[in-house]
Amino acid sequence: MNNYGQRVMDHWKTWLPNRYDQIEDPISFFTSVGEQVEEQVLQVSGAMEAEQREAMETMDYLARVGRGNAIQKSAEEIALSEFLLEPEAQTRESEYQDEEPYPFMDETGMPTDPSHPLWAMAEDDSVSLAQFRQACQEWFEAEKAKMSKSTTP
């Protein structure tokens, strides 16, 4: 299952539990959904890049990378919008209202601990954006794993 299928499956488990429970084979279903989303992302991003090709040719490298990333994110948003549906009225949302979803993370997505190495990386000009994003992703996944271990009986 690709990343898109996993994202949609996680969304449905959390926000559409009744629909999720009705799926006979979730792995196959969300694998197929992920493939559909990926194909649509490729089509939409290709069309958007073609529309903006001339403008992108005149941009410097960083501007082109930024525009390419924006196109990719826009295409993902368009493709995923079909599957990331609004929560069911009877979701377990009330269970989470008093809790912070990720107590280890502040509202900007950074660690709540100001001495965490990510804060220093954010200020370090020698660290590339890709390196910083990778470190953030690794940190976030590790913290989520710790949370799930502590909440699993």
Side-chain angles (χ1 to χ4, degrees):
M1 177 182 317
N2 67 20
N3 180 44
Y4 301 123
Q6 186 66 51
R7 285 172 61 184
V8 173
M9 185 170 79
D10 291 345
H11 178 82
W12 282 40
K13 276 183 184 178
T14 303
W15 300 110
L16 303 163
N18 294 332
R19 283 190 185 189
Y20 180 84
D21 291 342
Q22 293 174 2
I23 299 170
E24 194 170 304
D25 182 3
I27 300 299
S28 296
F29 178 81
F30 289 105
T31 296
S32 174
V33 166
E35 291 167 357
Q36 291 173 40
V37 170
E38 185 173 31
E39 184 177 316
Q40 189 174 358
V41 166
L42 289 172
Q43 290 174 353
V44 170
S45 64
M48 292 172 86
E49 286 174 2
E51 282 179 9
Q52 299 181 31
R53 188 170 323 271
E54 284 185 35
M56 289 177 70
E57 288 174 358
T58 64
M59 295 177 181
D60 65 21
Y61 173 74
L62 288 178
R64 279 195 316 271
V65 169
R67 180 70 58 93
N69 287 340
I71 288 171
Q72 177 70 20
K73 293 298 180 191
S74 294
E76 288 176 353
E77 183 178 347
I78 291 166
L80 284 167
S81 67
E82 185 177 337
F83 297 101
L84 297 180
L85 306 174
E86 291 293 319
E88 295 171 344
Q90 302 153 325
T91 60
R92 300 171 292 211
E93 188 175 282
S94 61
E95 295 176 21
Y96 302 109
Q97 286 178 346
D98 296 332
E99 295 179 28
E100 293 181 30
Y102 299 112
F104 55 83
M105 183 169 66
D106 70 11
E107 64 278 354
T108 66
M110 289 292 284
T112 53
D113 176 7
S115 65
H116 191 280
L118 281 176
W119 286 103
M121 282 183 79
E123 299 298 320
D124 187 348
D125 292 336
S126 68
V127 176
S128 73
L129 181 58
Q131 291 169 322
F132 181 71
R133 284 183 176 164
Q134 181 65 33
C136 287
Q137 183 67 31
E138 290 170 1
W139 163 75
F140 181 73
E141 294 300 328
E143 291 296 324
K144 275 183 30 180
K146 287 180 199 174
M147 278 183 63
S148 67
K149 286 180 183 176
S150 67
T151 58
T152 306

